[in-house]
Amino acid sequence: MILRFLAVALFAVTTVSSQTPPSLPSNFQQRTIHSPEGADIFVRSGGSGPVVVLIHGYAENSDSWAPLAADLMKDHTVVVPDLRGIGRSSKPTDGYDKKTQAKDIRAVVTALGYDKTSVVAHDIGNMVAYAYAATYPDKVERLVVMDAPIPGIDPWNEILLNPGVWHFNFHGPDAERLVAGRERIYFDRIWNDFTADPGTPDEATRNFFAATYAQPGGMRAGFAQFAAFSQDAKDNKVFEQTKLTMPVMAVGGEKSFGALQAVIMRHVATNVQEEVVAGSGHWLMEERPAYTVALIRKFLDGPLVAHSVASSADGGANEERLTPAEYKFPQVGNPGTGSSGVGGIQTVVLKGNPDQGGVYTIMLRVPAHTRIAAHSHRDDRVATVISGTWHIGYGDKFDEAKLKPLPPGSFFTEPPSRNHFAETGDEPVVVQITGFGPSSTEYVDATHEPGTPTRRIHSALPTMS
């Protein structure tokens, strides 16, 4: 027994000791570039080919991009700066608004001899990347933003009301004194709250990043990123008036912002591709590195694809005439906004966008023998049964006695915030629903929640740092 215990203990020690903190490729060149905005920006770069700038987030530094940088450098030139105040960049007293930091990034790009680039960002890096793309729209070829809100851009006010983002307002001299010498405790709370896997980031990564913020002035500068949010919101309201036109990929972790990332970006850009990383929380490079790297590479290297929302302008842009045979249901379930979120449901958006304001129409194909617990939607909806027999009832819990069978051609309503439940029999059912977005889904009993992106958004908003 003792020998077995020692063997297990030795394995555990070996496992921990084998962990190494993230690090960019050792052959990357390093340089410190002075920004005219009053900061010295540490940057590393390597590889050859089309230029990609990687902008990191909070609770991390540029080394967080290690998996992506190592892959991209095979056929791209990769530029990886530390944001002002973080890592090995200088820590000035001001300039932490994202519009100013966008100018820092521009100084880095031009000092290295580049002009047009693609930009990939995560967390607070999203905010800097958006300011950069809005300030220099003709210099950004493709933009990737991952798992973070944009100050001032809907649903920013809703996000601020969520107690999970307490750290947005935790800054100032007293906060610095409280955290001094306890940086690891502070960051553990953020890492733990926003991960889908308690083992990530691992111990070596946590110790490494915590140590970089424990440098003199590091926490003051880190807190300053949040203190600038009110100014960022004002700047972004101005930027929002001119939509980004370059291709944008909005990536959310399934257990974090999920589909909300694309909702946010569609407020500020006209060509947005939505992606959700299954099984991941906020720390995409630590939780699902291989999948996330492949996703980004496919976007950067693939053909340009338009993902714009249908125009509401005159000229026939919204004219549609479809027969039942022309409804293009996906081959697998894709429950989206406005559905109950049950995994097998297949969704087709026929008009508008249920994630945005305005009229939308969706078509749902619900598998046979599907039971949907009591839930509600925040918008007012009307629906028609296209095929099969739909059984629906109103109330705060599923009750077979309250179900009414509705054959094809039947009509029913889903008033705003009115709880209802449903089920199908021995055949699948197709229903067509029209509402006025943005829509959502809220289950009466959270234990019945199937874990849809829409519902997770409301429970996981604090994953943004």
Side-chain angles (χ1 to χ4, degrees):
M1 177 66 71
I2 293 176
L3 289 175
R4 180 182 178 187
F5 172 79
L6 290 174
V8 172
L10 179 61
F11 174 78
V13 170
T14 302
T15 300
V16 172
S17 64
S18 67
Q19 294 178 353
T20 56
S23 178
L24 294 181
S26 59
N27 59 344
F28 269 31
Q29 300 295 310
Q30 63 182 52
R31 182 176 170 184
T32 298
I33 294 170
H34 180 72
S35 167
E37 301 300 319
D40 294 320
I41 305 301
F42 177 76
V43 59
R44 284 168 288 179
S45 60
S48 61
V51 183
V52 183
V53 178
L54 311 181
I55 307 179
H56 68 85
Y58 186 67
E60 300 180 311
N61 62 25
S62 56
D63 284 297
S64 64
W65 291 116
L68 181 60
D71 185 89
L72 286 180
M73 69 175 292
K74 300 170 187 175
D75 48 19
H76 291 76
T77 298
V78 186
V79 176
V80 198
D82 278 336
L83 293 174
R84 72 163 58 200
I86 297 178
R88 285 186 267 181
S89 289
S90 67
K91 300 169 176 58
T93 57
D94 54 16
Y96 293 92
D97 63 279
K98 310 312 174 287
K99 185 176 179 179
T100 295
Q101 293 191 76
K103 296 176 182 177
D104 291 343
I105 301 300
R106 187 61 189 164
V108 167
V109 171
T110 56
L112 292 176
Y114 307 124
D115 186 28
K116 293 184 178 182
T117 75
S118 291
V119 177
V120 180
H122 174 242
D123 192 79
I124 276 180
N126 282 11
M127 306 174 190
V128 178
Y130 172 58
Y132 183 86
T135 304
Y136 312 102
D138 60 330
K139 306 302 181 184
V140 178
E141 296 176 323
R142 304 189 191 202
L143 173 65
V144 178
V145 291
M146 301 197 298
D147 221 73
I150 304 294
I153 306 303
D154 287 341
W156 177 248
N157 291 335
E158 180 181 346
I159 292 170
L160 292 181
L161 293 175
N162 193 303
V165 295
W166 59 270
H167 56 297
F168 282 12
N169 291 307
F170 185 76
H171 48 76
D174 290 335
E176 293 172 36
R177 292 171 57 206
L178 286 169
V179 174
R182 306 177 182 89
E183 293 84 3
R184 173 64 192 269
I185 297 173
Y186 164 80
F187 283 116
D188 272 342
R189 172 49 48 211
I190 295 174
W191 289 322
N192 292 341
D193 280 352
F194 307 147
T195 184
D197 177 1
T200 56
D202 62 30
E203 282 294 305
T205 299
R206 292 176 184 230
N207 286 332
F208 171 69
F209 286 137
T212 65
Y213 284 84
Q215 299 173 43
M219 290 307 303
R220 171 191 57 77
F223 290 152
Q225 298 283 353
F226 302 114
F229 278 178
S230 59
Q231 182 59 50
D232 296 334
K234 294 176 183 177
D235 292 336
N236 291 338
K237 283 297 185 183
V238 176
F239 287 146
E240 186 183 14
Q241 296 175 20
T242 303
K243 307 299 184 188
L244 303 180
T245 58
M246 76 286 294
V248 176
M249 183 169 72
V251 183
E254 181 194 16
K255 307 299 183 181
S256 183
F257 259 36
L260 181 58
Q261 190 65 62
V263 175
I264 293 169
M265 294 310 296
R266 289 186 181 115
H267 287 295
V268 300
T270 62
N271 186 2
V272 179
Q273 174 181 332
E274 174 185 321
E275 297 290 347
V276 176
V277 179
S280 183
H282 178 61
W283 314 104
L284 297 161
M285 280 292 114
E286 290 80 16
E287 297 181 61
R288 293 294 307 279
Y291 182 88
T292 306
V293 167
L295 196 65
I296 294 170
R297 173 173 280 282
K298 181 179 179 181
F299 174 76
L300 294 179
D301 297 344
L304 293 175
V305 178
H307 295 274
S308 56
V309 177
S311 169
S312 60
D314 292 336
N318 283 332
E319 293 178 355
E320 293 284 357
R321 295 180 294 179
L322 299 175
T323 66
E326 293 174 311
Y327 297 138
K328 301 297 183 182
F329 285 103
Q331 296 300 309
V332 295
N334 64 328
T337 302
S339 76
S340 62
V342 173
I345 292 178
Q346 298 165 287
T347 305
V348 175
V349 178
L350 300 178
K351 176 180 176 62
N353 186 337
D355 286 317
Q356 298 182 352
V359 175
Y360 68 88
T361 298
I362 56 178
M363 188 81 76
L364 305 180
R365 177 185 284 165
V366 186
H369 306 293
T370 297
R371 175 170 289 190
I372 302 172
H375 64 284
S376 66
H377 310 281
R378 64 182 176 183
D379 56 319
D380 196 3
R381 294 148 53 105
V382 297
T384 300
V385 180
I386 304 300
S387 65
T389 300
W390 184 238
H391 301 258
I392 186 169
Y394 302 99
D396 296 338
K397 63 180 181 179
F398 190 95
D399 185 347
E400 287 189 359
K402 294 182 179 180
L403 290 172
K404 180 176 181 177
L406 300 177
S410 299
F411 170 84
F412 64 96
T413 65
E414 295 179 355
S417 301
R418 179 71 166 98
N419 292 322
H420 55 281
F421 47 88
E423 71 175 3
T424 58
D426 295 332
E427 59 182 345
V429 176
V430 175
V431 295
Q432 179 176 300
I433 301 173
T434 295
F436 194 91
S439 188
S440 66
T441 300
E442 300 289 338
Y443 272 81
V444 175
D445 185 343
T447 63
H448 295 148
E449 176 189 336
T452 64
T454 300
R455 185 66 175 90
R456 282 193 303 274
I457 286 165
H458 295 278
S459 63
L461 283 174
T463 56
M464 301 304 90
S465 304

